[in-house]
Amino acid sequence: MKKIILGFFGIASFCSYGQLQGGTVTGNMESNVQYLNTDTLIGATAPDQKVVANTYMNINYSVGKFRAGARFESYLPAIAGYPAFYSGSGMPYKYVQYAGNQITVTAGNFYEQFGSGLIFRSYEERALGLDNAMEGASIRFSPLKGIDLKGVIGRQRVNFFEGQRFLSEGLVRGLDGSINLNEVIPGFSDSKFKISIGSSIVSRYQATNNDTLILPKNVGSYGGRIDMRYSRFYLNAEYIHKDNDPNEQNNWIYNTGHGAIVNMGYSQKGLGIILTAKSLDNMTFRSDRNTIGNQAFINYLPATSNNHTYNLAGTLYPYATNLNGEVAYQLDILYKIPKKSTLGGKYGTDVHLNVSVATDYERDTEAANWEKNRVSYIAQPFAMTDSIFNFDFNLHVKRKLNKKWKASAHYYHFIYNNDVNEVTKLAKHYITSDIGVVDVSYKINRKHSIRAEFQGLFTEKDRGNWATAVIEYTISPKWFFTIMDQYNYGHPDERLQIHYLLGAFGYTHNSSRFMFMYGKQREGILCVGGVCRPVPATNGLTFTFTQSF
Amino acid sequence: MKKISLLFALAIGVIGGSSFINTDDGGVGKTMPSVMLENLDGDQINSADLENGGNPIVISFWATWCKPCRLELNTIMEEYEAMNDSLGLGIKLVAVSIDDERNKSKVRPVVDAEGWDYDIWLDTNSDLKRAMGVNYPPQTFVLDGNGKIIYSHVGFVPGDEEDLYDVLGYEPE
């Protein structure tokens, strides 16, 4: 604790010194405070403390080519639904950096990504309680324009308990290189054909402590990527191989793993088409082989589906990548019906169609020899089965009617496999649902606007049908007021046909913002970037303050 | 331990509170930090090298899944041509996408389908977002002709664009 306080004053004096010397301090803070009530009907339980709070503050200081920074975090205790291992206050993130013209060196904590992240990505997603920051050193070197080399070494943050951050047992080492051929090859820079290539290798070292299995101490993973564009067509792909890595997630099998992502598309003004294909088998790569859940990931396995933002579409049956592996495809078509046409209207009309499907992949157990080498099956990339994990069809139409009115309509059809990623105990197998949304906004005058949203979700399973209405009134640039009612009118148990009524208002001053929210929130799934976390039902007051400086 | 934690939380509160009262917040008066990222053509960009021949630059953090962000960029687009063609203000807008790998491939089709003429940067692992102290998108900055940040605003509701135009010295018809 003393160390933290010393560090705190150290940085504070460093910052004030910096201001004298013409350095720059930037940063941000966020505070979420909840006062919780118990509400047995919706299943909300207040903790003994009644008041819970998460607070974060980042400070970066830079002068010339040097930069240093730290993040304070405090969970006193953590807000409802946040992972239980977040508790106490401390400074788990601090770094110093030199950023020259060709070389950048960082010591301490850092975030980094190689290629698409399929082999290595350390990042934070505060809303979900995800943070796998590296603690060690990184270097980035650009010997020539168009060539970029990166190296990282360190352990990952996996835990923050009683003010102490805990690091992974495994040590992560990685190298990555990328070459933009248009910039490197003389005379190629003006070509319509653009191409860049890259390659990475990442390895984990972890001591072994298993009596029955001979585990590999070093597990390697490597692969390459390519990015090409010709005129309006483009294609990018990455393939990563992972050596055998027996771990808790894969049930201690000695199979190798693979990950492949391919994006191809066509894009011109007013029209965009993109097809994504993804194949993952045994590709969870963690800095501790004994860990499961969302912690200690070395790599990032993105979900292949649209990120839905309307409440009923985004939080009841959301899809996240299956960690054991899957084959998935996604198609997006975006089109702007031109303005001043019969169909497009005066300002044009935006249409977006998105379809995605994810299935299990084929495991050939005949070809494997379990007795001999503990390899339990052989998998071929992109070999689908008819066992669907998730199917998602959605269509969006958006139009500006005149200077005052805007409207949009949205339709979703989901088939969700609740046996594979369980989101509810009330249903088995497939949950099919249809969702409709209408969103209308009206600009009253320069400063005042009003917006209304009506959503309906229809399903014969789980908790039945839902209806949601939202009304939002905003006064630019300072105020907003919102009322939302979610009504579970189709619940099979009549006592549980509940209104979840929630009111909120907020105030913005330049880059500071606070918000008060009072009412009932149903339990649901909070997803950011394809990673999801269940959040419990709550009843009470939430205060949020965010600021950047 | 508890006392210290409380003190600690209090210290954060005081610092946050005092900077809230201070009107020079949101990075106003500072310059762009130096972060390496890519533009939509895959070229390496150093954010500190950003310049616009002495004219102002708007920096807007957005994501494909962020509705207010897209509303903001669509709203400004309606005036972007007039701002630059008829008035010759020479304003450049850089839209920094914080979409991660899941949605990064959708950035180009979204930009094209919306018909935006902005410079697009890809901040796939949120490095620039962190360096500029952005909590959640949208957040919009204005840099003056000397590269100094003179305006910072978080969130977007209809009408906020008028404040931005005031800062830029632009008057829509």
Side-chain angles (χ1 to χ4, degrees), chain A residues 25 67 116 121 267 269-270 305 400 476 511 548, chain B residues 26 30 34 65 78 101-102 112 117 125 133 139 160:
Chain A
V25 178
R67 194 190 299 173
S116 70
R121 184 185 187 207
S267 194
K269 209 152 207 181
S305 66
K400 180 174 175 178
S476 166
S511 59
S548 61
Chain B
K30 293 160 189 169
S34 165
W65 43 263
E78 287 171 18
E101 206 51 42
R102 179 185 184 187
D112 275 346
D117 294 325
N125 211 26
Q139 184 158 345
D160 284 3

mmCIF file with all atom_site columns, all heavy atoms in Angstrom, chain A residues 25 67 116 121 267 269-270 305 400 476 511 548, chain B residues 26 30 34 65 78 101-102 112 117 125 133 139 160:
data_model
loop_
_atom_site.group_PDB
_atom_site.id
_atom_site.type_symbol
_atom_site.label_atom_id
_atom_site.label_alt_id
_atom_site.label_comp_id
_atom_site.label_asym_id
_atom_site.label_entity_id
_atom_site.label_seq_id
_atom_site.pdbx_PDB_ins_code
_atom_site.Cartn_x
_atom_site.Cartn_y
_atom_site.Cartn_z
_atom_site.occupancy
_atom_site.B_iso_or_equiv
_atom_site.pdbx_formal_charge
_atom_site.auth_seq_id
_atom_site.auth_comp_id
_atom_site.auth_asym_id
_atom_site.auth_atom_id
_atom_site.pdbx_PDB_model_num
ATOM 1   N N   . VAL A 1 25  ? 0.249   16.481  -19.791 1.00 0.00 ? 25  VAL A N   1
ATOM 2   C CA  . VAL A 1 25  ? -0.441  15.449  -19.024 1.00 0.00 ? 25  VAL A CA  1
ATOM 3   C C   . VAL A 1 25  ? -1.787  15.198  -19.687 1.00 0.00 ? 25  VAL A C   1
ATOM 4   O O   . VAL A 1 25  ? -2.544  16.130  -19.945 1.00 0.00 ? 25  VAL A O   1
ATOM 5   C CB  . VAL A 1 25  ? -0.652  15.887  -17.561 1.00 0.00 ? 25  VAL A CB  1
ATOM 6   C CG1 . VAL A 1 25  ? -1.418  14.818  -16.796 1.00 0.00 ? 25  VAL A CG1 1
ATOM 7   C CG2 . VAL A 1 25  ? 0.668   16.165  -16.894 1.00 0.00 ? 25  VAL A CG2 1
ATOM 8   N N   . ARG A 1 67  ? 7.561   9.173   -22.405 1.00 0.00 ? 67  ARG A N   1
ATOM 9   C CA  . ARG A 1 67  ? 6.209   9.152   -21.890 1.00 0.00 ? 67  ARG A CA  1
ATOM 10  C C   . ARG A 1 67  ? 6.164   8.189   -20.700 1.00 0.00 ? 67  ARG A C   1
ATOM 11  O O   . ARG A 1 67  ? 6.851   7.167   -20.694 1.00 0.00 ? 67  ARG A O   1
ATOM 12  C CB  . ARG A 1 67  ? 5.232   8.680   -22.963 1.00 0.00 ? 67  ARG A CB  1
ATOM 13  C CG  . ARG A 1 67  ? 3.779   8.956   -22.589 1.00 0.00 ? 67  ARG A CG  1
ATOM 14  C CD  . ARG A 1 67  ? 2.804   8.298   -23.506 1.00 0.00 ? 67  ARG A CD  1
ATOM 15  N NE  . ARG A 1 67  ? 2.915   8.745   -24.899 1.00 0.00 ? 67  ARG A NE  1
ATOM 16  C CZ  . ARG A 1 67  ? 2.232   8.190   -25.890 1.00 0.00 ? 67  ARG A CZ  1
ATOM 17  N NH1 . ARG A 1 67  ? 1.420   7.197   -25.673 1.00 0.00 ? 67  ARG A NH1 1
ATOM 18  N NH2 . ARG A 1 67  ? 2.380   8.633   -27.117 1.00 0.00 ? 67  ARG A NH2 1
ATOM 19  N N   . SER A 1 116 ? -4.342  -9.761  -36.819 1.00 0.00 ? 116 SER A N   1
ATOM 20  C CA  . SER A 1 116 ? -5.742  -9.662  -36.431 1.00 0.00 ? 116 SER A CA  1
ATOM 21  C C   . SER A 1 116 ? -5.940  -9.964  -34.949 1.00 0.00 ? 116 SER A C   1
ATOM 22  O O   . SER A 1 116 ? -7.057  -9.886  -34.450 1.00 0.00 ? 116 SER A O   1
ATOM 23  C CB  . SER A 1 116 ? -6.578  -10.623 -37.269 1.00 0.00 ? 116 SER A CB  1
ATOM 24  O OG  . SER A 1 116 ? -6.278  -11.948 -36.893 1.00 0.00 ? 116 SER A OG  1
ATOM 25  N N   . ARG A 1 121 ? -3.028  -10.719 -28.619 1.00 0.00 ? 121 ARG A N   1
ATOM 26  C CA  . ARG A 1 121 ? -3.657  -9.416  -28.387 1.00 0.00 ? 121 ARG A CA  1
ATOM 27  C C   . ARG A 1 121 ? -3.785  -9.187  -26.885 1.00 0.00 ? 121 ARG A C   1
ATOM 28  O O   . ARG A 1 121 ? -4.458  -9.958  -26.189 1.00 0.00 ? 121 ARG A O   1
ATOM 29  C CB  . ARG A 1 121 ? -5.055  -9.354  -29.003 1.00 0.00 ? 121 ARG A CB  1
ATOM 30  C CG  . ARG A 1 121 ? -5.675  -7.975  -28.845 1.00 0.00 ? 121 ARG A CG  1
ATOM 31  C CD  . ARG A 1 121 ? -7.102  -7.915  -29.325 1.00 0.00 ? 121 ARG A CD  1
ATOM 32  N NE  . ARG A 1 121 ? -7.579  -6.543  -29.295 1.00 0.00 ? 121 ARG A NE  1
ATOM 33  C CZ  . ARG A 1 121 ? -8.841  -6.199  -29.145 1.00 0.00 ? 121 ARG A CZ  1
ATOM 34  N NH1 . ARG A 1 121 ? -9.770  -7.109  -29.041 1.00 0.00 ? 121 ARG A NH1 1
ATOM 35  N NH2 . ARG A 1 121 ? -9.194  -4.935  -29.123 1.00 0.00 ? 121 ARG A NH2 1
ATOM 36  N N   . SER A 1 267 ? -16.142 -2.522  -52.469 1.00 0.00 ? 267 SER A N   1
ATOM 37  C CA  . SER A 1 267 ? -16.665 -1.304  -51.869 1.00 0.00 ? 267 SER A CA  1
ATOM 38  C C   . SER A 1 267 ? -16.529 -0.121  -52.812 1.00 0.00 ? 267 SER A C   1
ATOM 39  O O   . SER A 1 267 ? -15.458 0.136   -53.351 1.00 0.00 ? 267 SER A O   1
ATOM 40  C CB  . SER A 1 267 ? -15.897 -1.038  -50.574 1.00 0.00 ? 267 SER A CB  1
ATOM 41  O OG  . SER A 1 267 ? -16.553 -0.085  -49.809 1.00 0.00 ? 267 SER A OG  1
ATOM 42  N N   . LYS A 1 269 ? -18.525 4.022   -53.553 1.00 0.00 ? 269 LYS A N   1
ATOM 43  C CA  . LYS A 1 269 ? -19.398 4.984   -52.889 1.00 0.00 ? 269 LYS A CA  1
ATOM 44  C C   . LYS A 1 269 ? -20.857 4.531   -53.000 1.00 0.00 ? 269 LYS A C   1
ATOM 45  O O   . LYS A 1 269 ? -21.357 4.284   -54.072 1.00 0.00 ? 269 LYS A O   1
ATOM 46  C CB  . LYS A 1 269 ? -19.226 6.371   -53.498 1.00 0.00 ? 269 LYS A CB  1
ATOM 47  C CG  . LYS A 1 269 ? -19.504 7.428   -52.475 1.00 0.00 ? 269 LYS A CG  1
ATOM 48  C CD  . LYS A 1 269 ? -18.775 8.716   -52.714 1.00 0.00 ? 269 LYS A CD  1
ATOM 49  C CE  . LYS A 1 269 ? -18.585 9.390   -51.374 1.00 0.00 ? 269 LYS A CE  1
ATOM 50  N NZ  . LYS A 1 269 ? -17.931 10.649  -51.433 1.00 0.00 ? 269 LYS A NZ  1
ATOM 51  N N   . GLY A 1 270 ? -21.514 4.363   -51.873 1.00 0.00 ? 270 GLY A N   1
ATOM 52  C CA  . GLY A 1 270 ? -22.919 3.982   -51.880 1.00 0.00 ? 270 GLY A CA  1
ATOM 53  C C   . GLY A 1 270 ? -23.178 2.492   -51.812 1.00 0.00 ? 270 GLY A C   1
ATOM 54  O O   . GLY A 1 270 ? -24.314 2.060   -51.650 1.00 0.00 ? 270 GLY A O   1
ATOM 55  N N   . SER A 1 305 ? -20.327 -12.030 -36.210 1.00 0.00 ? 305 SER A N   1
ATOM 56  C CA  . SER A 1 305 ? -21.726 -11.632 -36.311 1.00 0.00 ? 305 SER A CA  1
ATOM 57  C C   . SER A 1 305 ? -21.791 -10.145 -36.071 1.00 0.00 ? 305 SER A C   1
ATOM 58  O O   . SER A 1 305 ? -20.822 -9.539  -35.634 1.00 0.00 ? 305 SER A O   1
ATOM 59  C CB  . SER A 1 305 ? -22.583 -12.352 -35.262 1.00 0.00 ? 305 SER A CB  1
ATOM 60  O OG  . SER A 1 305 ? -22.225 -11.926 -33.977 1.00 0.00 ? 305 SER A OG  1
ATOM 61  N N   . LYS A 1 400 ? -33.630 9.705   -43.662 1.00 0.00 ? 400 LYS A N   1
ATOM 62  C CA  . LYS A 1 400 ? -33.903 11.060  -43.187 1.00 0.00 ? 400 LYS A CA  1
ATOM 63  C C   . LYS A 1 400 ? -35.082 11.559  -44.003 1.00 0.00 ? 400 LYS A C   1
ATOM 64  O O   . LYS A 1 400 ? -35.028 11.591  -45.233 1.00 0.00 ? 400 LYS A O   1
ATOM 65  C CB  . LYS A 1 400 ? -32.664 11.929  -43.407 1.00 0.00 ? 400 LYS A CB  1
ATOM 66  C CG  . LYS A 1 400 ? -32.827 13.350  -42.941 1.00 0.00 ? 400 LYS A CG  1
ATOM 67  C CD  . LYS A 1 400 ? -31.533 14.129  -43.055 1.00 0.00 ? 400 LYS A CD  1
ATOM 68  C CE  . LYS A 1 400 ? -31.765 15.583  -42.694 1.00 0.00 ? 400 LYS A CE  1
ATOM 69  N NZ  . LYS A 1 400 ? -30.539 16.371  -42.733 1.00 0.00 ? 400 LYS A NZ  1
ATOM 70  N N   . SER A 1 476 ? -29.107 20.072  -26.497 1.00 0.00 ? 476 SER A N   1
ATOM 71  C CA  . SER A 1 476 ? -27.701 20.221  -26.860 1.00 0.00 ? 476 SER A CA  1
ATOM 72  C C   . SER A 1 476 ? -27.127 21.482  -26.221 1.00 0.00 ? 476 SER A C   1
ATOM 73  O O   . SER A 1 476 ? -27.812 22.499  -26.167 1.00 0.00 ? 476 SER A O   1
ATOM 74  C CB  . SER A 1 476 ? -27.593 20.318  -28.380 1.00 0.00 ? 476 SER A CB  1
ATOM 75  O OG  . SER A 1 476 ? -26.317 20.765  -28.752 1.00 0.00 ? 476 SER A OG  1
ATOM 76  N N   . SER A 1 511 ? -15.733 17.625  -22.111 1.00 0.00 ? 511 SER A N   1
ATOM 77  C CA  . SER A 1 511 ? -15.377 16.209  -22.125 1.00 0.00 ? 511 SER A CA  1
ATOM 78  C C   . SER A 1 511 ? -15.634 15.547  -20.778 1.00 0.00 ? 511 SER A C   1
ATOM 79  O O   . SER A 1 511 ? -15.049 14.526  -20.475 1.00 0.00 ? 511 SER A O   1
ATOM 80  C CB  . SER A 1 511 ? -13.926 16.053  -22.538 1.00 0.00 ? 511 SER A CB  1
ATOM 81  O OG  . SER A 1 511 ? -13.123 16.756  -21.639 1.00 0.00 ? 511 SER A OG  1
ATOM 82  N N   . SER A 1 548 ? -12.300 13.197  -19.458 1.00 0.00 ? 548 SER A N   1
ATOM 83  C CA  . SER A 1 548 ? -10.945 13.084  -19.992 1.00 0.00 ? 548 SER A CA  1
ATOM 84  C C   . SER A 1 548 ? -10.262 14.429  -19.851 1.00 0.00 ? 548 SER A C   1
ATOM 85  O O   . SER A 1 548 ? -10.909 15.479  -19.855 1.00 0.00 ? 548 SER A O   1
ATOM 86  C CB  . SER A 1 548 ? -10.969 12.603  -21.442 1.00 0.00 ? 548 SER A CB  1
ATOM 87  O OG  . SER A 1 548 ? -11.657 13.499  -22.252 1.00 0.00 ? 548 SER A OG  1
ATOM 88  N N   . GLY B 2 26  ? -10.432 18.160  -21.140 1.00 0.00 ? 26  GLY B N   1
ATOM 89  C CA  . GLY B 2 26  ? -10.542 17.453  -22.400 1.00 0.00 ? 26  GLY B CA  1
ATOM 90  C C   . GLY B 2 26  ? -9.335  17.622  -23.284 1.00 0.00 ? 26  GLY B C   1
ATOM 91  O O   . GLY B 2 26  ? -9.414  17.530  -24.499 1.00 0.00 ? 26  GLY B O   1
ATOM 92  N N   . LYS B 2 30  ? -3.474  21.194  -25.537 1.00 0.00 ? 30  LYS B N   1
ATOM 93  C CA  . LYS B 2 30  ? -2.398  20.227  -25.764 1.00 0.00 ? 30  LYS B CA  1
ATOM 94  C C   . LYS B 2 30  ? -2.266  19.927  -27.249 1.00 0.00 ? 30  LYS B C   1
ATOM 95  O O   . LYS B 2 30  ? -3.084  20.351  -28.058 1.00 0.00 ? 30  LYS B O   1
ATOM 96  C CB  . LYS B 2 30  ? -2.702  18.951  -24.988 1.00 0.00 ? 30  LYS B CB  1
ATOM 97  C CG  . LYS B 2 30  ? -2.642  19.196  -23.491 1.00 0.00 ? 30  LYS B CG  1
ATOM 98  C CD  . LYS B 2 30  ? -3.375  18.143  -22.723 1.00 0.00 ? 30  LYS B CD  1
ATOM 99  C CE  . LYS B 2 30  ? -3.471  18.578  -21.263 1.00 0.00 ? 30  LYS B CE  1
ATOM 100 N NZ  . LYS B 2 30  ? -4.380  17.734  -20.515 1.00 0.00 ? 30  LYS B NZ  1
ATOM 101 N N   . SER B 2 34  ? 1.948   11.068  -29.896 1.00 0.00 ? 34  SER B N   1
ATOM 102 C CA  . SER B 2 34  ? 2.558   10.289  -30.974 1.00 0.00 ? 34  SER B CA  1
ATOM 103 C C   . SER B 2 34  ? 2.212   8.814   -30.820 1.00 0.00 ? 34  SER B C   1
ATOM 104 O O   . SER B 2 34  ? 2.676   8.152   -29.901 1.00 0.00 ? 34  SER B O   1
ATOM 105 C CB  . SER B 2 34  ? 4.073   10.492  -30.917 1.00 0.00 ? 34  SER B CB  1
ATOM 106 O OG  . SER B 2 34  ? 4.724   9.517   -31.682 1.00 0.00 ? 34  SER B OG  1
ATOM 107 N N   . TRP B 2 65  ? -20.410 0.273   -34.688 1.00 0.00 ? 65  TRP B N   1
ATOM 108 C CA  . TRP B 2 65  ? -21.584 -0.119  -33.894 1.00 0.00 ? 65  TRP B CA  1
ATOM 109 C C   . TRP B 2 65  ? -22.126 1.017   -33.035 1.00 0.00 ? 65  TRP B C   1
ATOM 110 O O   . TRP B 2 65  ? -23.067 0.818   -32.279 1.00 0.00 ? 65  TRP B O   1
ATOM 111 C CB  . TRP B 2 65  ? -21.231 -1.314  -32.998 1.00 0.00 ? 65  TRP B CB  1
ATOM 112 C CG  . TRP B 2 65  ? -19.884 -1.175  -32.348 1.00 0.00 ? 65  TRP B CG  1
ATOM 113 C CD1 . TRP B 2 65  ? -18.718 -1.727  -32.801 1.00 0.00 ? 65  TRP B CD1 1
ATOM 114 C CD2 . TRP B 2 65  ? -19.531 -0.430  -31.185 1.00 0.00 ? 65  TRP B CD2 1
ATOM 115 N NE1 . TRP B 2 65  ? -17.671 -1.375  -31.982 1.00 0.00 ? 65  TRP B NE1 1
ATOM 116 C CE2 . TRP B 2 65  ? -18.141 -0.571  -30.975 1.00 0.00 ? 65  TRP B CE2 1
ATOM 117 C CE3 . TRP B 2 65  ? -20.256 0.352   -30.281 1.00 0.00 ? 65  TRP B CE3 1
ATOM 118 C CZ2 . TRP B 2 65  ? -17.463 0.035   -29.918 1.00 0.00 ? 65  TRP B CZ2 1
ATOM 119 C CZ3 . TRP B 2 65  ? -19.576 0.950   -29.231 1.00 0.00 ? 65  TRP B CZ3 1
ATOM 120 C CH2 . TRP B 2 65  ? -18.200 0.780   -29.054 1.00 0.00 ? 65  TRP B CH2 1
ATOM 121 N N   . GLU B 2 78  ? -23.115 16.508  -44.120 1.00 0.00 ? 78  GLU B N   1
ATOM 122 C CA  . GLU B 2 78  ? -24.041 17.350  -44.878 1.00 0.00 ? 78  GLU B CA  1
ATOM 123 C C   . GLU B 2 78  ? -23.461 18.738  -45.143 1.00 0.00 ? 78  GLU B C   1
ATOM 124 O O   . GLU B 2 78  ? -23.846 19.402  -46.097 1.00 0.00 ? 78  GLU B O   1
ATOM 125 C CB  . GLU B 2 78  ? -25.365 17.498  -44.109 1.00 0.00 ? 78  GLU B CB  1
ATOM 126 C CG  . GLU B 2 78  ? -26.195 16.226  -44.131 1.00 0.00 ? 78  GLU B CG  1
ATOM 127 C CD  . GLU B 2 78  ? -27.394 16.310  -43.194 1.00 0.00 ? 78  GLU B CD  1
ATOM 128 O OE1 . GLU B 2 78  ? -27.782 17.422  -42.800 1.00 0.00 ? 78  GLU B OE1 1
ATOM 129 O OE2 . GLU B 2 78  ? -27.933 15.237  -42.860 1.00 0.00 ? 78  GLU B OE2 1
ATOM 130 N N   . GLU B 2 101 ? -10.912 -6.155  -34.099 1.00 0.00 ? 101 GLU B N   1
ATOM 131 C CA  . GLU B 2 101 ? -10.838 -7.083  -35.218 1.00 0.00 ? 101 GLU B CA  1
ATOM 132 C C   . GLU B 2 101 ? -12.205 -7.609  -35.652 1.00 0.00 ? 101 GLU B C   1
ATOM 133 O O   . GLU B 2 101 ? -12.418 -7.901  -36.810 1.00 0.00 ? 101 GLU B O   1
ATOM 134 C CB  . GLU B 2 101 ? -9.911  -8.247  -34.853 1.00 0.00 ? 101 GLU B CB  1
ATOM 135 C CG  . GLU B 2 101 ? -9.256  -8.909  -36.031 1.00 0.00 ? 101 GLU B CG  1
ATOM 136 C CD  . GLU B 2 101 ? -8.564  -7.939  -36.968 1.00 0.00 ? 101 GLU B CD  1
ATOM 137 O OE1 . GLU B 2 101 ? -7.899  -7.004  -36.470 1.00 0.00 ? 101 GLU B OE1 1
ATOM 138 O OE2 . GLU B 2 101 ? -8.698  -8.112  -38.187 1.00 0.00 ? 101 GLU B OE2 1
ATOM 139 N N   . ARG B 2 102 ? -13.140 -7.694  -34.719 1.00 0.00 ? 102 ARG B N   1
ATOM 140 C CA  . ARG B 2 102 ? -14.457 -8.222  -35.078 1.00 0.00 ? 102 ARG B CA  1
ATOM 141 C C   . ARG B 2 102 ? -15.123 -7.367  -36.148 1.00 0.00 ? 102 ARG B C   1
ATOM 142 O O   . ARG B 2 102 ? -15.785 -7.873  -37.042 1.00 0.00 ? 102 ARG B O   1
ATOM 143 C CB  . ARG B 2 102 ? -15.345 -8.273  -33.838 1.00 0.00 ? 102 ARG B CB  1
ATOM 144 C CG  . ARG B 2 102 ? -16.733 -8.782  -34.125 1.00 0.00 ? 102 ARG B CG  1
ATOM 145 C CD  . ARG B 2 102 ? -17.609 -8.699  -32.903 1.00 0.00 ? 102 ARG B CD  1
ATOM 146 N NE  . ARG B 2 102 ? -18.913 -9.281  -33.189 1.00 0.00 ? 102 ARG B NE  1
ATOM 147 C CZ  . ARG B 2 102 ? -19.925 -9.232  -32.346 1.00 0.00 ? 102 ARG B CZ  1
ATOM 148 N NH1 . ARG B 2 102 ? -19.792 -8.645  -31.186 1.00 0.00 ? 102 ARG B NH1 1
ATOM 149 N NH2 . ARG B 2 102 ? -21.078 -9.773  -32.663 1.00 0.00 ? 102 ARG B NH2 1
ATOM 150 N N   . ASP B 2 112 ? -17.919 3.877   -47.138 1.00 0.00 ? 112 ASP B N   1
ATOM 151 C CA  . ASP B 2 112 ? -18.359 4.046   -48.527 1.00 0.00 ? 112 ASP B CA  1
ATOM 152 C C   . ASP B 2 112 ? -19.872 4.154   -48.637 1.00 0.00 ? 112 ASP B C   1
ATOM 153 O O   . ASP B 2 112 ? -20.400 4.999   -49.361 1.00 0.00 ? 112 ASP B O   1
ATOM 154 C CB  . ASP B 2 112 ? -17.859 2.884   -49.394 1.00 0.00 ? 112 ASP B CB  1
ATOM 155 C CG  . ASP B 2 112 ? -16.440 3.126   -49.889 1.00 0.00 ? 112 ASP B CG  1
ATOM 156 O OD1 . ASP B 2 112 ? -15.972 4.276   -49.786 1.00 0.00 ? 112 ASP B OD1 1
ATOM 157 O OD2 . ASP B 2 112 ? -15.813 2.170   -50.369 1.00 0.00 ? 112 ASP B OD2 1
ATOM 158 N N   . ASP B 2 117 ? -16.367 11.471  -46.926 1.00 0.00 ? 117 ASP B N   1
ATOM 159 C CA  . ASP B 2 117 ? -15.098 11.833  -47.576 1.00 0.00 ? 117 ASP B CA  1
ATOM 160 C C   . ASP B 2 117 ? -13.979 12.072  -46.573 1.00 0.00 ? 117 ASP B C   1
ATOM 161 O O   . ASP B 2 117 ? -12.981 12.698  -46.889 1.00 0.00 ? 117 ASP B O   1
ATOM 162 C CB  . ASP B 2 117 ? -15.285 13.115  -48.402 1.00 0.00 ? 117 ASP B CB  1
ATOM 163 C CG  . ASP B 2 117 ? -16.221 12.873  -49.569 1.00 0.00 ? 117 ASP B CG  1
ATOM 164 O OD1 . ASP B 2 117 ? -16.170 11.756  -50.119 1.00 0.00 ? 117 ASP B OD1 1
ATOM 165 O OD2 . ASP B 2 117 ? -17.001 13.774  -49.912 1.00 0.00 ? 117 ASP B OD2 1
ATOM 166 N N   . ASN B 2 125 ? -6.399  -1.434  -31.647 1.00 0.00 ? 125 ASN B N   1
ATOM 167 C CA  . ASN B 2 125 ? -6.218  -1.858  -30.250 1.00 0.00 ? 125 ASN B CA  1
ATOM 168 C C   . ASN B 2 125 ? -6.337  -0.673  -29.288 1.00 0.00 ? 125 ASN B C   1
ATOM 169 O O   . ASN B 2 125 ? -5.825  -0.715  -28.178 1.00 0.00 ? 125 ASN B O   1
ATOM 170 C CB  . ASN B 2 125 ? -4.881  -2.587  -30.071 1.00 0.00 ? 125 ASN B CB  1
ATOM 171 C CG  . ASN B 2 125 ? -4.969  -3.651  -28.980 1.00 0.00 ? 125 ASN B CG  1
ATOM 172 O OD1 . ASN B 2 125 ? -6.039  -4.177  -28.689 1.00 0.00 ? 125 ASN B OD1 1
ATOM 173 N ND2 . ASN B 2 125 ? -3.843  -3.955  -28.362 1.00 0.00 ? 125 ASN B ND2 1
ATOM 174 N N   . GLY B 2 133 ? -6.992  9.944   -23.852 1.00 0.00 ? 133 GLY B N   1
ATOM 175 C CA  . GLY B 2 133 ? -7.871  9.956   -22.676 1.00 0.00 ? 133 GLY B CA  1
ATOM 176 C C   . GLY B 2 133 ? -9.347  9.811   -22.994 1.00 0.00 ? 133 GLY B C   1
ATOM 177 O O   . GLY B 2 133 ? -10.188 10.304  -22.253 1.00 0.00 ? 133 GLY B O   1
ATOM 178 N N   . GLN B 2 139 ? -16.156 10.919  -29.199 1.00 0.00 ? 139 GLN B N   1
ATOM 179 C CA  . GLN B 2 139 ? -15.524 12.089  -28.604 1.00 0.00 ? 139 GLN B CA  1
ATOM 180 C C   . GLN B 2 139 ? -14.840 12.843  -29.743 1.00 0.00 ? 139 GLN B C   1
ATOM 181 O O   . GLN B 2 139 ? -14.154 12.245  -30.575 1.00 0.00 ? 139 GLN B O   1
ATOM 182 C CB  . GLN B 2 139 ? -14.534 11.716  -27.503 1.00 0.00 ? 139 GLN B CB  1
ATOM 183 C CG  . GLN B 2 139 ? -13.960 12.976  -26.843 1.00 0.00 ? 139 GLN B CG  1
ATOM 184 C CD  . GLN B 2 139 ? -13.417 12.738  -25.441 1.00 0.00 ? 139 GLN B CD  1
ATOM 185 O OE1 . GLN B 2 139 ? -13.689 11.725  -24.819 1.00 0.00 ? 139 GLN B OE1 1
ATOM 186 N NE2 . GLN B 2 139 ? -12.626 13.670  -24.951 1.00 0.00 ? 139 GLN B NE2 1
ATOM 187 N N   . ASP B 2 160 ? -25.450 19.399  -31.311 1.00 0.00 ? 160 ASP B N   1
ATOM 188 C CA  . ASP B 2 160 ? -24.048 19.524  -30.888 1.00 0.00 ? 160 ASP B CA  1
ATOM 189 C C   . ASP B 2 160 ? -23.153 19.996  -32.035 1.00 0.00 ? 160 ASP B C   1
ATOM 190 O O   . ASP B 2 160 ? -22.112 20.607  -31.805 1.00 0.00 ? 160 ASP B O   1
ATOM 191 C CB  . ASP B 2 160 ? -23.508 18.185  -30.361 1.00 0.00 ? 160 ASP B CB  1
ATOM 192 C CG  . ASP B 2 160 ? -24.023 17.863  -28.963 1.00 0.00 ? 160 ASP B CG  1
ATOM 193 O OD1 . ASP B 2 160 ? -24.828 18.652  -28.441 1.00 0.00 ? 160 ASP B OD1 1
ATOM 194 O OD2 . ASP B 2 160 ? -23.624 16.816  -28.410 1.00 0.00 ? 160 ASP B OD2 1
#
